[in-house]
Structure formats: structure tokens, C-alpha cells
Amino acid sequence: MDEKTIAKMYENLIHSYLEIKPVLFDLYKRNGNSHIDAILNEMRALNDHLARCYADNITVENAHKELSKAEGHLKRLIYDCFKQLNIIFFDHIKDYEEKYFGPHWFRLDGGRFWSDYTTWRYEVVKNVEQAKKYESIDAEKACDNYQNAYVVQGKVYDLLENNKSNLQLSKPRILWMKLNSLKGWGLTTFILAVIPSVLWEIPYKTIYMWASEAVKNLLHLIGSFLTAL
């Protein structure tokens, strides 16, 4: 071990730290302009071991030990950063879907929105799964998968933001769409009750019974929907 090796090790460490800083800042914003304790702890530990390399009369061996420990903290910092971003992302889309999801999502932009949304969401999941798989056996592959997931998350965030006005419909408008859907279902049920009566001369009493049942089912669906609001 010589000083050139230590200098190169230090240079690579600082370069990797600077590369992850924009992601750390994004995490800070995604977390409501608030730091996460686990992230702060790893940053403090990383900087502490780097600072020890500047101690008077430090040996090459001790500098190597301190930089090796700093590398370990940087690795955990990168993993923790991406994991926290994943948690925030999946919580966000879960909450978003619970609030605004409806049939209008399928029709938006001729169906392209739904295709992009589901494709990218699935891509995030697959990359995160792959990253977790490689964490203990190949750090480079794990980081690549985490970075891929992070990039695609940005696409999903932008997609939701760009279509915000069309996705976040008011509850009265969603209710109206649901009622229109139920109205069509009720009309279809009634027609299906009348057509057999014409073809097979079913008594009008039976027709009335079928129609009444269809109306009751329709009212039940409307009541269930209103209760769920």
C-alpha cells in the first residue's frame, strides 16, 4: 500500500459521493424538504472517516482503514437513499390511485397514458427486485438497477403531473361517470329481459318481475357507490 493508491482511493470516493449528491437532494425534496435520520447518520459517519485521514502523522495503513470504512458508509448511504426514494414513490402512487383512479384513466390520450403508466410502474418494480437480489453479491449491478428504477420513477412522476387536470377529477364528476355507467347497465338488463319475452311469449308478469329486479340491483349499486365515497 502506497500514497498513490491511497490518493486514488480517496479520489474515487469523493467522485462517487459527488455523483450521489443530486439524488440525496431529490430525496430531501420528495420527503417534504426534510432529512431522513438514517441518511444523515451515514453521511456523518462517512465525513467523519474522511476527516480522520487529515490527522497529523497518519500512516498510510491507517488512512487505508479509514477510507475503507468510509467506502462502506458510502455504499450504505447509496442503498439507503434509493430505498427511501422507492418507499416514497410506492406510497405516492398508492395514495394517488386511491384518491383519483377511475375508468377515465383507461381512456386518457387514447389509452396511451394507461399503457405508459403501467409499463413504467412495472419497470420500477422489476428494477427494485433485481437491485435487492444483487445487493449482497454484486454492488455495481445493484446500484445500476436502483439507478434505473430511480430514472423510471421520474418518468412516472412527470406523467402524473403532466396529466394532473385529467386524472384528478372531482368527486361529483366521477359520480356522474359512474351513474352513466350504471344507467347503461340497467338499460341493457331491461332490454335483455324484454327480448326473450317477445321471442318466447313470456308472460308480462315475469317481464315486470325481471325489470323490478334490475331496478333494485341498480339502486343497490348506486347506494353502495355513494356509501364508499
Side-chain angles (χ1 to χ4, degrees):
M1 188 66 61
D2 55 29
E3 290 185 1
K4 286 186 177 180
T5 302
I6 294 298
K8 186 63 177 178
M9 190 177 179
Y10 181 85
E11 181 183 344
N12 291 338
L13 192 74
I14 295 300
H15 181 70
S16 297
Y17 184 41
L18 292 176
E19 281 188 333
I20 197 66
K21 285 190 74 175
V23 183
L24 289 168
F25 180 68
D26 195 27
L27 173 59
Y28 174 79
K29 291 196 300 179
R30 297 283 182 204
N31 195 50
N33 294 328
S34 175
H35 290 293
I36 296 174
D37 289 341
I39 300 296
L40 287 176
N41 290 337
E42 292 297 342
M43 291 175 67
R44 290 191 191 102
L46 168 63
N47 287 312
D48 179 63
H49 289 294
L50 288 176
R52 292 181 186 185
C53 293
Y54 289 93
D56 293 337
N57 301 319
I58 187 170
T59 64
V60 171
E61 289 75 16
N62 285 337
H64 179 262
K65 289 179 181 178
E66 294 298 336
L67 289 176
S68 295
K69 291 178 181 178
E71 285 179 342
H73 286 293
L74 178 60
K75 179 180 176 181
R76 286 190 290 275
L77 174 64
I78 293 171
Y79 283 165
D80 287 349
C81 181
F82 284 125
K83 287 177 180 178
Q84 291 295 334
L85 283 166
N86 291 333
I87 291 172
I88 292 172
F89 172 76
F90 289 117
D91 284 347
H92 175 73
I93 62 173
K94 179 183 177 182
D95 181 65
Y96 202 96
E97 289 177 4
E98 288 178 351
K99 286 182 178 178
Y100 306 113
F101 178 75
H104 56 294
W105 283 33
F106 302 121
R107 298 189 293 269
L108 184 58
D109 196 17
R112 182 170 180 177
F113 164 80
W114 184 247
S115 176
D116 288 344
Y117 178 69
T118 53
T119 298
W120 291 340
R121 186 177 60 177
Y122 177 74
E123 194 173 335
V124 173
V125 172
K126 293 302 294 182
N127 273 287
V128 171
E129 289 177 349
Q130 287 294 105
K132 290 180 178 178
K133 174 183 175 182
Y134 286 120
E135 267 190 24
S136 59
I137 57 177
D138 193 327
E140 186 174 346
K141 284 186 177 180
C143 285
D144 285 344
N145 283 120
Y146 274 132
Q147 287 177 337
N148 290 340
Y150 171 68
V151 170
V152 182
Q153 284 173 17
K155 291 183 179 180
V156 176
Y157 281 122
D158 289 342
L159 185 68
L160 295 177
E161 182 62 28
N162 293 337
N163 291 279
K164 182 177 179 180
S165 61
N166 293 316
L167 294 173
Q168 298 182 13
L169 299 183
S170 63
K171 286 189 176 181
R173 188 173 173 186
I174 294 176
L175 175 59
W176 177 249
M177 292 172 62
K178 291 282 188 180
L179 289 176
N180 279 335
S181 175
L182 292 173
K183 181 177 65 177
W185 175 86
L187 180 59
T188 301
T189 303
F190 180 77
I191 291 174
L192 290 176
V194 171
I195 291 178
S197 71
V198 174
L199 294 177
W200 297 302
E201 297 181 353
I202 296 175
Y204 287 107
K205 183 176 181 181
T206 304
I207 299 174
Y208 176 78
M209 181 179 65
W210 284 356
S212 297
E213 188 65 24
V215 172
K216 284 195 292 185
N217 288 335
L218 176 60
L219 292 175
H220 175 72
L221 285 173
I222 295 173
S224 299
F225 177 75
L226 291 174
T227 302
L229 288 179

